Amino acid sequence: MNHEKIHIRQQIEMLFVFFYLWYVIEFFIRWILLFDAKKAYRAISFEKEAYTFENEFDYLNKKKIFSFIKFL
């Protein structure tokens, strides 16, 4: 559940449309580089941030805007 809350915050930061646009573009780039859809999905910066902090329940209180960029 916390994983999805992190995604919601990311979507708000990116004004929803840009989140999905970035997500799809990054997925295809990583898919081309990794030749594996599952690995490409896990390598998306939004997913890396969400998986890294999904068990840190106070993360959203201290999350800085666009912090997913650290995971590129």
Side-chain angles (χ1 to χ4, degrees):
M1 189 65 149
N2 199 43
H3 179 100
E4 297 309 321
K5 288 180 182 179
I6 293 169
H7 283 316
I8 291 168
R9 179 71 62 84
Q10 293 165 337
Q11 291 168 8
I12 292 168
E13 291 171 4
M14 301 282 295
L15 304 175
F16 295 96
V17 172
F18 298 110
F19 171 85
Y20 289 107
L21 184 63
W22 184 305
Y23 194 101
V24 169
I25 291 170
E26 188 174 350
F27 172 78
F28 281 117
I29 291 170
R30 296 199 185 273
W31 191 17
I32 290 167
L33 295 173
L34 299 170
F35 302 106
D36 185 324
K38 192 176 274 188
K39 287 181 183 177
Y41 159 75
R42 291 293 295 229
I44 296 170
S45 56
F46 296 121
E47 293 299 338
K48 284 182 177 180
E49 180 184 22
Y51 278 113
T52 300
F53 297 108
E54 68 185 0
N55 293 318
E56 195 172 318
F57 299 104
D58 65 333
Y59 177 66
L60 290 176
N61 293 328
K62 60 185 178 182
K63 179 184 181 329
K64 294 183 179 170
I65 192 164
F66 303 126
S67 56
F68 69 90
I69 292 174
K70 293 184 269 186
F71 295 91
L72 282 175

Coordinates of all heavy atoms in Angstrom, one line a residue:
M1 N 0.8 -1.2 0.0 CA 0.0 0.0 0.0 C 0.9 1.3 0.0 O 0.6 2.2 -0.7 CB -0.9 0.0 1.2 CG -1.9 1.0 1.2 SD -3.0 0.8 -0.1 CE -4.5 1.5 0.5
N2 N 1.9 1.3 0.8 CA 2.8 2.4 0.8 C 3.5 2.6 -0.5 O 3.7 3.8 -0.9 CB 3.8 2.3 2.0 CG 4.5 3.6 2.4 OD1 3.8 4.6 2.5 ND2 5.8 3.6 2.5
H3 N 3.8 1.5 -1.2 CA 4.4 1.6 -2.5 C 3.5 2.4 -3.5 O 4.0 3.3 -4.2 CB 4.6 0.2 -3.0 CG 5.2 0.0 -4.4 ND1 6.5 -0.2 -4.6 CD2 4.6 0.2 -5.6 CE1 6.7 -0.3 -5.9 NE2 5.6 0.0 -6.5
E4 N 2.2 2.1 -3.4 CA 1.3 2.9 -4.3 C 1.1 4.3 -3.9 O 0.9 5.2 -4.7 CB -0.1 2.1 -4.3 CG 0.0 0.7 -4.9 CD 0.7 0.7 -6.3 OE1 0.5 1.6 -7.1 OE2 1.5 -0.3 -6.5
K5 N 1.2 4.6 -2.6 CA 1.1 6.0 -2.1 C 2.3 6.8 -2.6 O 2.1 7.9 -2.9 CB 1.1 6.0 -0.6 CG -0.3 5.5 0.0 CD -0.2 5.6 1.5 CE -1.5 5.1 2.1 NZ -1.5 5.1 3.6
I6 N 3.4 6.1 -2.7 CA 4.6 6.8 -3.2 C 4.4 7.1 -4.7 O 4.7 8.2 -5.1 CB 5.9 6.0 -3.0 CG1 6.2 5.8 -1.5 CG2 7.1 6.5 -3.8 CD1 7.3 4.8 -1.2
H7 N 3.8 6.2 -5.4 CA 3.5 6.5 -6.8 C 2.5 7.6 -7.0 O 2.6 8.4 -7.9 CB 2.9 5.2 -7.5 CG 4.0 4.2 -7.9 ND1 5.2 4.5 -8.4 CD2 4.0 2.9 -7.8 CE1 5.9 3.4 -8.6 NE2 5.1 2.4 -8.3
I8 N 1.5 7.7 -6.1 CA 0.6 8.8 -6.2 C 1.3 10.1 -6.0 O 1.0 11.1 -6.7 CB -0.6 8.6 -5.2 CG1 -1.4 7.4 -5.6 CG2 -1.4 9.8 -5.0 CD1 -2.4 6.9 -4.5
R9 N 2.2 10.2 -5.0 CA 2.9 11.4 -4.8 C 3.8 11.8 -6.0 O 3.9 12.9 -6.5 CB 3.8 11.3 -3.6 CG 4.7 12.5 -3.2 CD 3.9 13.7 -2.7 NE 3.2 13.4 -1.5 CZ 3.7 13.5 -0.3 NH1 5.0 13.9 -0.1 NH2 3.0 13.2 0.8
Q10 N 4.4 10.7 -6.6 CA 5.2 11.0 -7.8 C 4.3 11.5 -9.0 O 4.7 12.4 -9.7 CB 5.8 9.7 -8.3 CG 6.9 9.1 -7.4 CD 7.2 7.7 -7.7 OE1 6.5 6.9 -8.3 NE2 8.4 7.3 -7.3
Q11 N 3.1 11.0 -9.1 CA 2.2 11.4 -10.1 C 1.7 12.9 -9.9 O 1.7 13.7 -10.9 CB 0.9 10.5 -10.1 CG 1.2 9.1 -10.6 CD 0.1 8.2 -10.4 OE1 -1.0 8.6 -9.9 NE2 0.3 6.9 -10.6
I12 N 1.5 13.2 -8.7 CA 1.1 14.6 -8.4 C 2.3 15.6 -8.7 O 2.1 16.6 -9.3 CB 0.7 14.7 -6.9 CG1 -0.6 14.0 -6.6 CG2 0.6 16.2 -6.5 CD1 -0.9 13.8 -5.2
E13 N 3.5 15.2 -8.3 CA 4.7 16.0 -8.6 C 4.8 16.2 -10.1 O 5.3 17.3 -10.6 CB 6.0 15.3 -8.1 CG 6.1 15.3 -6.6 CD 7.2 14.4 -6.1 OE1 8.0 13.9 -6.9 OE2 7.3 14.3 -4.9
M14 N 4.5 15.2 -10.9 CA 4.7 15.2 -12.4 C 3.4 15.6 -13.1 O 3.4 15.5 -14.3 CB 5.2 13.9 -12.9 CG 6.5 13.4 -12.3 SD 8.0 14.2 -12.9 CE 7.9 13.6 -14.6
L15 N 2.4 16.1 -12.4 CA 1.2 16.5 -13.0 C 0.5 15.4 -13.8 O -0.1 15.6 -14.9 CB 1.3 17.7 -13.8 CG 2.0 18.9 -13.1 CD1 2.2 20.1 -14.1 CD2 1.1 19.4 -11.9
F16 N 0.6 14.2 -13.3 CA 0.0 13.0 -13.9 C 0.4 12.6 -15.3 O 1.0 11.6 -15.5 CB -1.6 13.0 -13.8 CG -2.0 13.0 -12.3 CD1 -2.3 14.2 -11.7 CD2 -2.2 11.8 -11.6 CE1 -2.8 14.2 -10.4 CE2 -2.6 11.8 -10.3 CZ -2.9 13.0 -9.7
V17 N 0.1 13.5 -16.2 CA 0.4 13.2 -17.6 C 1.9 13.0 -17.9 O 2.3 12.1 -18.5 CB -0.1 14.4 -18.5 CG1 0.4 14.2 -20.0 CG2 -1.6 14.5 -18.5
F18 N 2.7 13.9 -17.3 CA 4.2 13.8 -17.5 C 4.7 12.5 -16.7 O 5.7 11.9 -17.2 CB 4.9 15.0 -17.0 CG 4.5 16.2 -17.8 CD1 3.7 17.2 -17.2 CD2 4.8 16.3 -19.1 CE1 3.3 18.3 -18.0 CE2 4.5 17.4 -19.9 CZ 3.7 18.4 -19.3
F19 N 4.1 12.1 -15.6 CA 4.5 10.9 -15.0 C 4.3 9.7 -15.9 O 5.3 8.9 -16.1 CB 3.6 10.7 -13.7 CG 3.8 9.3 -13.1 CD1 4.8 9.1 -12.2 CD2 3.0 8.2 -13.4 CE1 5.0 7.8 -11.6 CE2 3.1 7.0 -12.8 CZ 4.2 6.8 -11.9
Y20 N 3.2 9.6 -16.5 CA 2.9 8.4 -17.4 C 3.8 8.5 -18.7 O 4.3 7.5 -19.1 CB 1.4 8.3 -17.7 CG 0.6 7.8 -16.5 CD1 -0.2 8.7 -15.8 CD2 0.8 6.5 -16.0 CE1 -0.9 8.3 -14.7 CE2 0.1 6.1 -14.9 CZ -0.8 7.0 -14.3 OH -1.4 6.6 -13.1
L21 N 4.0 9.7 -19.2 CA 4.8 9.8 -20.4 C 6.2 9.4 -20.0 O 6.9 8.6 -20.8 CB 4.8 11.3 -20.8 CG 5.5 11.6 -22.1 CD1 4.9 10.8 -23.3 CD2 5.4 13.1 -22.4
W22 N 6.8 9.9 -18.9 CA 8.1 9.6 -18.5 C 8.2 8.1 -18.2 O 9.2 7.4 -18.6 CB 8.5 10.3 -17.2 CG 9.9 10.2 -16.7 CD1 10.5 9.0 -16.4 CD2 10.8 11.2 -16.4 NE1 11.8 9.3 -15.9 CE2 12.0 10.6 -15.9 CE3 10.8 12.6 -16.6 CZ2 13.1 11.3 -15.6 CZ3 11.9 13.3 -16.2 CH2 13.0 12.7 -15.7
Y23 N 7.2 7.5 -17.5 CA 7.2 6.1 -17.2 C 7.3 5.2 -18.4 O 8.2 4.3 -18.5 CB 5.9 5.8 -16.4 CG 5.9 4.5 -15.7 CD1 6.1 4.4 -14.3 CD2 5.7 3.3 -16.3 CE1 6.1 3.2 -13.6 CE2 5.6 2.1 -15.7 CZ 5.9 2.1 -14.3 OH 5.8 0.9 -13.6
V24 N 6.5 5.5 -19.4 CA 6.5 4.7 -20.6 C 7.8 4.8 -21.4 O 8.4 3.8 -21.8 CB 5.3 5.0 -21.5 CG1 5.4 4.4 -22.9 CG2 4.0 4.6 -20.8
I25 N 8.3 6.0 -21.5 CA 9.6 6.3 -22.3 C 10.7 5.6 -21.5 O 11.5 4.9 -22.2 CB 9.8 7.8 -22.4 CG1 8.8 8.4 -23.4 CG2 11.3 8.0 -22.9 CD1 8.8 9.9 -23.5
E26 N 10.8 5.7 -20.2 CA 11.9 5.1 -19.5 C 11.8 3.6 -19.6 O 12.8 2.9 -19.7 CB 11.9 5.5 -18.0 CG 13.1 5.1 -17.3 CD 13.2 5.6 -15.8 OE1 12.4 6.5 -15.5 OE2 14.1 5.1 -15.1
F27 N 10.6 3.0 -19.5 CA 10.4 1.6 -19.6 C 10.9 1.1 -21.0 O 11.7 0.1 -21.0 CB 8.9 1.2 -19.5 CG 8.7 -0.3 -19.8 CD1 9.0 -1.2 -18.9 CD2 8.2 -0.7 -21.0 CE1 8.8 -2.6 -19.2 CE2 8.0 -2.0 -21.3 CZ 8.3 -3.0 -20.4
F28 N 10.6 1.7 -22.1 CA 11.0 1.3 -23.4 C 12.6 1.4 -23.5 O 13.2 0.6 -24.1 CB 10.3 2.0 -24.5 CG 8.9 1.4 -24.7 CD1 7.8 2.2 -24.5 CD2 8.8 0.1 -25.1 CE1 6.5 1.7 -24.7 CE2 7.5 -0.4 -25.3 CZ 6.4 0.3 -25.1
I29 N 13.1 2.5 -23.0 CA 14.6 2.6 -23.1 C 15.3 1.5 -22.3 O 16.2 0.9 -22.8 CB 15.0 4.0 -22.5 CG1 14.6 5.1 -23.5 CG2 16.5 4.1 -22.3 CD1 14.7 6.5 -23.0
R30 N 14.8 1.2 -21.1 CA 15.4 0.2 -20.3 C 15.1 -1.2 -20.9 O 16.0 -2.1 -20.8 CB 14.9 0.3 -18.9 CG 15.3 1.6 -18.2 CD 15.3 1.6 -16.8 NE 15.6 2.8 -16.2 CZ 16.8 3.2 -15.9 NH1 17.9 2.5 -16.2 NH2 17.0 4.4 -15.3
W31 N 14.0 -1.4 -21.5 CA 13.7 -2.7 -22.2 C 14.7 -2.9 -23.3 O 15.2 -4.0 -23.5 CB 12.3 -2.6 -22.7 CG 11.7 -4.0 -23.2 CD1 12.2 -5.2 -22.9 CD2 10.5 -4.2 -23.9 NE1 11.4 -6.2 -23.5 CE2 10.4 -5.6 -24.1 CE3 9.6 -3.3 -24.5 CZ2 9.3 -6.1 -24.8 CZ3 8.6 -3.9 -25.2 CH2 8.4 -5.2 -25.4
I32 N 14.9 -1.9 -24.1 CA 15.9 -2.0 -25.2 C 17.3 -2.3 -24.7 O 18.0 -3.1 -25.2 CB 15.9 -0.7 -26.0 CG1 14.6 -0.5 -26.8 CG2 17.1 -0.6 -27.0 CD1 14.4 0.8 -27.4
L33 N 17.7 -1.6 -23.6 CA 19.0 -1.8 -23.0 C 19.2 -3.2 -22.3 O 20.2 -3.8 -22.3 CB 19.3 -0.7 -22.0 CG 19.5 0.7 -22.6 CD1 19.6 1.7 -21.5 CD2 20.6 0.8 -23.6
L34 N 18.1 -3.7 -21.7 CA 18.2 -4.9 -20.8 C 17.6 -6.1 -21.5 O 17.8 -7.2 -21.1 CB 17.4 -4.7 -19.5 CG 18.0 -3.5 -18.6 CD1 17.0 -3.3 -17.5 CD2 19.3 -3.9 -18.1
F35 N 16.9 -6.0 -22.6 CA 16.3 -7.1 -23.3 C 15.4 -8.0 -22.5 O 15.2 -9.2 -22.7 CB 17.3 -8.0 -24.0 CG 18.2 -7.2 -24.9 CD1 19.5 -6.9 -24.5 CD2 17.8 -6.8 -26.2 CE1 20.4 -6.3 -25.4 CE2 18.6 -6.1 -27.0 CZ 19.9 -5.9 -26.6
D36 N 14.8 -7.4 -21.4 CA 14.0 -8.1 -20.5 C 12.9 -7.2 -19.9 O 13.3 -6.2 -19.2 CB 14.8 -8.7 -19.4 CG 14.1 -9.6 -18.5 OD1 12.9 -9.4 -18.1 OD2 14.7 -10.6 -18.0
A37 N 11.6 -7.4 -20.2 CA 10.6 -6.5 -19.7 C 10.5 -6.5 -18.2 O 10.3 -5.4 -17.6 CB 9.2 -7.0 -20.3
K38 N 10.7 -7.6 -17.5 CA 10.6 -7.6 -16.1 C 11.7 -6.8 -15.4 O 11.5 -6.0 -14.5 CB 10.6 -9.1 -15.5 CG 10.2 -9.2 -14.1 CD 10.2 -10.6 -13.6 CE 8.8 -11.2 -14.0 NZ 8.6 -12.5 -13.4
K39 N 12.9 -7.0 -15.9 CA 14.0 -6.2 -15.4 C 13.9 -4.7 -15.8 O 14.2 -3.9 -15.0 CB 15.3 -6.7 -16.0 CG 15.8 -8.0 -15.4 CD 17.1 -8.5 -16.0 CE 17.5 -9.9 -15.5 NZ 18.7 -10.4 -16.1
A40 N 13.3 -4.4 -17.0 CA 13.1 -3.0 -17.4 C 12.1 -2.4 -16.4 O 12.4 -1.2 -16.0 CB 12.6 -3.0 -18.8
Y41 N 11.1 -3.1 -16.1 CA 10.1 -2.5 -15.1 C 10.7 -2.2 -13.8 O 10.5 -1.1 -13.2 CB 8.9 -3.6 -15.0 CG 8.1 -3.4 -13.7 CD1 7.2 -2.3 -13.6 CD2 8.3 -4.2 -12.6 CE1 6.5 -2.2 -12.4 CE2 7.6 -4.0 -11.4 CZ 6.7 -3.0 -11.4 OH 6.0 -2.8 -10.2
R42 N 11.5 -3.2 -13.3 CA 12.1 -2.9 -11.9 C 13.2 -1.8 -12.0 O 13.5 -1.3 -10.9 CB 12.8 -4.2 -11.5 CG 11.8 -5.3 -11.1 CD 11.0 -5.0 -9.9 NE 11.8 -4.9 -8.7 CZ 11.6 -5.4 -7.5 NH1 10.5 -6.1 -7.4 NH2 12.4 -5.2 -6.5
A43 N 13.7 -1.5 -13.2 CA 14.8 -0.5 -13.3 C 14.2 0.9 -13.5 O 15.0 1.8 -13.5 CB 15.7 -0.9 -14.5
I44 N 12.9 1.0 -13.7 CA 12.3 2.4 -13.8 C 12.6 3.2 -12.5 O 12.3 2.7 -11.4 CB 10.8 2.3 -14.2 CG1 10.6 1.6 -15.5 CG2 10.2 3.6 -14.1 CD1 9.2 1.2 -15.8
S45 N 13.0 4.4 -12.7 CA 13.3 5.2 -11.5 C 12.2 5.3 -10.5 O 12.4 5.3 -9.3 CB 13.8 6.6 -11.9 OG 12.9 7.2 -12.7
F46 N 11.0 5.5 -11.0 CA 9.8 5.6 -10.1 C 9.6 4.3 -9.3 O 9.3 4.3 -8.1 CB 8.5 5.8 -10.9 CG 8.5 7.1 -11.7 CD1 8.3 7.1 -13.0 CD2 8.6 8.3 -11.0 CE1 8.3 8.3 -13.8 CE2 8.5 9.5 -11.7 CZ 8.4 9.5 -13.1
E47 N 9.8 3.2 -10.0 CA 9.7 1.9 -9.3 C 10.8 1.7 -8.3 O 10.6 1.2 -7.2 CB 9.7 0.7 -10.3 CG 8.4 0.7 -11.1 CD 7.1 0.6 -10.4 OE1 7.1 0.1 -9.2 OE2 6.1 1.0 -10.9
K48 N 12.0 2.1 -8.6 CA 13.2 1.9 -7.7 C 12.9 2.7 -6.4 O 13.1 2.2 -5.3 CB 14.5 2.4 -8.4 CG 15.0 1.5 -9.4 CD 16.3 2.1 -9.9 CE 17.1 1.2 -10.8 NZ 18.3 1.9 -11.3
E49 N 12.4 3.9 -6.6 CA 12.1 4.7 -5.4 C 11.0 4.1 -4.5 O 11.2 4.0 -3.3 CB 11.7 6.2 -5.8 CG 11.4 7.0 -4.6 CD 10.9 8.4 -4.9 OE1 10.4 8.6 -6.0 OE2 11.0 9.3 -4.0
A50 N 10.0 3.7 -5.2 CA 8.8 3.1 -4.5 C 9.2 1.8 -3.8 O 8.9 1.5 -2.6 CB 7.7 2.8 -5.4
Y51 N 10.0 0.9 -4.5 CA 10.4 -0.4 -3.8 C 11.4 -0.1 -2.7 O 11.4 -0.8 -1.7 CB 11.0 -1.3 -4.9 CG 10.0 -2.1 -5.7 CD1 9.8 -1.9 -7.0 CD2 9.2 -3.0 -5.0 CE1 8.9 -2.6 -7.7 CE2 8.3 -3.8 -5.7 CZ 8.1 -3.5 -7.1 OH 7.2 -4.2 -7.8
T52 N 12.3 0.9 -2.9 CA 13.3 1.2 -1.8 C 12.6 1.6 -0.5 O 13.1 1.2 0.5 CB 14.3 2.2 -2.3 OG1 14.9 1.8 -3.5 CG2 15.3 2.6 -1.3
F53 N 11.6 2.4 -0.7 CA 11.0 3.0 0.5 C 9.6 2.5 0.9 O 8.9 3.1 1.8 CB 10.9 4.6 0.4 CG 12.3 5.2 0.2 CD1 12.7 5.7 -1.0 CD2 13.1 5.3 1.3 CE1 14.0 6.2 -1.1 CE2 14.4 5.8 1.2 CZ 14.8 6.3 0.0
E54 N 9.2 1.4 0.3 CA 7.8 0.9 0.6 C 7.6 0.5 2.0 O 6.5 0.5 2.5 CB 7.4 -0.2 -0.4 CG 8.2 -1.5 -0.3 CD 7.8 -2.5 -1.3 OE1 7.0 -2.2 -2.2 OE2 8.4 -3.6 -1.3
N55 N 8.6 0.1 2.7 CA 8.5 -0.3 4.1 C 8.9 0.8 5.1 O 8.9 0.6 6.3 CB 9.3 -1.6 4.4 CG 8.8 -2.8 3.6 OD1 7.6 -3.0 3.6 ND2 9.7 -3.5 3.0
E56 N 9.2 2.0 4.6 CA 9.5 3.1 5.4 C 8.3 4.0 5.4 O 8.1 4.9 4.6 CB 10.7 3.9 4.8 CG 11.3 4.8 5.8 CD 12.6 5.4 5.3 OE1 13.4 4.6 4.7 OE2 12.8 6.6 5.4
F57 N 7.4 3.8 6.4 CA 6.1 4.4 6.4 C 6.0 5.9 6.6 O 5.0 6.5 6.4 CB 5.2 3.6 7.4 CG 5.0 2.2 7.0 CD1 5.7 1.2 7.7 CD2 4.3 1.8 5.9 CE1 5.6 -0.1 7.3 CE2 4.1 0.5 5.5 CZ 4.8 -0.5 6.2
D58 N 7.1 6.5 7.1 CA 7.2 7.9 7.2 C 7.9 8.6 6.1 O 8.1 9.8 6.1 CB 7.8 8.3 8.5 CG 9.3 7.9 8.6 OD1 9.7 7.0 7.9 OD2 10.1 8.6 9.3
Y59 N 8.2 7.8 5.0 CA 8.9 8.4 3.9 C 8.2 9.5 3.2 O 8.8 10.5 2.9 CB 9.2 7.3 2.8 CG 9.9 7.8 1.6 CD1 11.2 8.2 1.7 CD2 9.2 7.8 0.4 CE1 11.8 8.7 0.6 CE2 9.9 8.3 -0.8 CZ 11.2 8.8 -0.7 OH 11.8 9.2 -1.8
L60 N 6.9 9.5 3.1 CA 6.2 10.5 2.4 C 6.2 11.9 3.1 O 6.1 12.9 2.6 CB 4.7 10.1 2.1 CG 4.6 9.0 1.1 CD1 3.1 8.6 0.9 CD2 5.1 9.5 -0.3
N61 N 6.5 11.8 4.4 CA 6.6 13.0 5.3 C 7.9 13.7 5.0 O 8.0 14.9 5.2 CB 6.4 12.7 6.7 CG 5.1 12.2 7.1 OD1 4.1 12.6 6.5 ND2 5.0 11.3 8.0
K62 N 8.9 13.0 4.6 CA 10.2 13.6 4.4 C 10.7 13.6 2.9 O 11.7 14.1 2.6 CB 11.3 12.9 5.3 CG 11.4 11.4 5.0 CD 12.4 10.8 6.0 CE 12.5 9.3 5.8 NZ 13.4 8.7 6.7
K63 N 9.9 13.0 2.1 CA 10.2 12.9 0.6 C 10.3 14.3 0.0 O 9.5 15.2 0.2 CB 9.1 12.1 -0.1 CG 9.4 12.0 -1.6 CD 8.2 11.3 -2.2 CE 8.3 11.0 -3.7 NZ 9.0 12.0 -4.5
K64 N 11.4 14.5 -0.7 CA 11.6 15.8 -1.4 C 11.1 15.6 -2.8 O 11.0 14.5 -3.4 CB 13.1 16.1 -1.5 CG 13.6 16.4 -0.1 CD 15.1 16.8 -0.1 CE 15.5 17.1 1.3 NZ 16.9 17.3 1.5
I65 N 10.7 16.7 -3.4 CA 10.1 16.7 -4.8 C 11.1 16.2 -5.8 O 12.3 16.5 -5.7 CB 9.6 18.1 -5.1 CG1 8.7 18.1 -6.4 CG2 10.7 19.1 -5.3 CD1 7.9 19.3 -6.6
F66 N 10.7 15.4 -6.7 CA 11.5 14.8 -7.8 C 12.6 14.0 -7.2 O 13.6 13.8 -7.9 CB 12.0 15.9 -8.7 CG 10.9 16.7 -9.4 CD1 11.0 18.1 -9.3 CD2 9.9 16.1 -10.0 CE1 10.0 18.9 -9.9 CE2 8.9 16.9 -10.6 CZ 8.9 18.3 -10.5
S67 N 12.4 13.3 -6.1 CA 13.5 12.5 -5.5 C 13.8 11.2 -6.3 O 14.8 10.6 -6.2 CB 13.2 12.2 -4.1 OG 12.0 11.6 -3.9
F68 N 12.8 10.9 -7.2 CA 13.0 9.7 -8.1 C 14.2 9.9 -9.0 O 14.8 8.9 -9.4 CB 11.8 9.4 -8.9 CG 11.5 10.4 -10.0 CD1 12.0 10.3 -11.2 CD2 10.7 11.6 -9.7 CE1 11.8 11.3 -12.2 CE2 10.5 12.5 -10.6 CZ 11.0 12.4 -11.9
I69 N 14.6 11.1 -9.2 CA 15.7 11.4 -10.1 C 17.0 10.7 -9.6 O 17.9 10.3 -10.4 CB 15.9 12.9 -10.4 CG1 14.7 13.4 -11.2 CG2 17.2 13.2 -11.1 CD1 14.6 14.9 -11.4
K70 N 17.2 10.6 -8.3 CA 18.4 10.0 -7.8 C 18.5 8.5 -8.2 O 19.6 7.9 -8.1 CB 18.3 10.0 -6.2 CG 18.5 11.4 -5.6 CD 18.5 11.3 -4.1 CE 17.1 11.4 -3.6 NZ 17.0 11.4 -2.2
F71 N 17.4 7.9 -8.7 CA 17.4 6.5 -9.0 C 17.5 6.3 -10.6 O 17.4 5.1 -11.0 CB 16.1 5.9 -8.6 CG 15.9 5.8 -7.1 CD1 15.4 6.9 -6.4 CD2 16.5 4.8 -6.3 CE1 15.3 6.9 -5.0 CE2 16.4 4.7 -5.0 CZ 15.8 5.8 -4.3
L72 N 17.8 7.3 -11.3 CA 18.0 7.2 -12.8 C 19.3 6.4 -13.1 O 20.2 6.4 -12.4 CB 18.1 8.5 -13.5 CG 16.7 9.2 -13.7 CD1 16.9 10.6 -14.2 CD2 15.8 8.4 -14.6

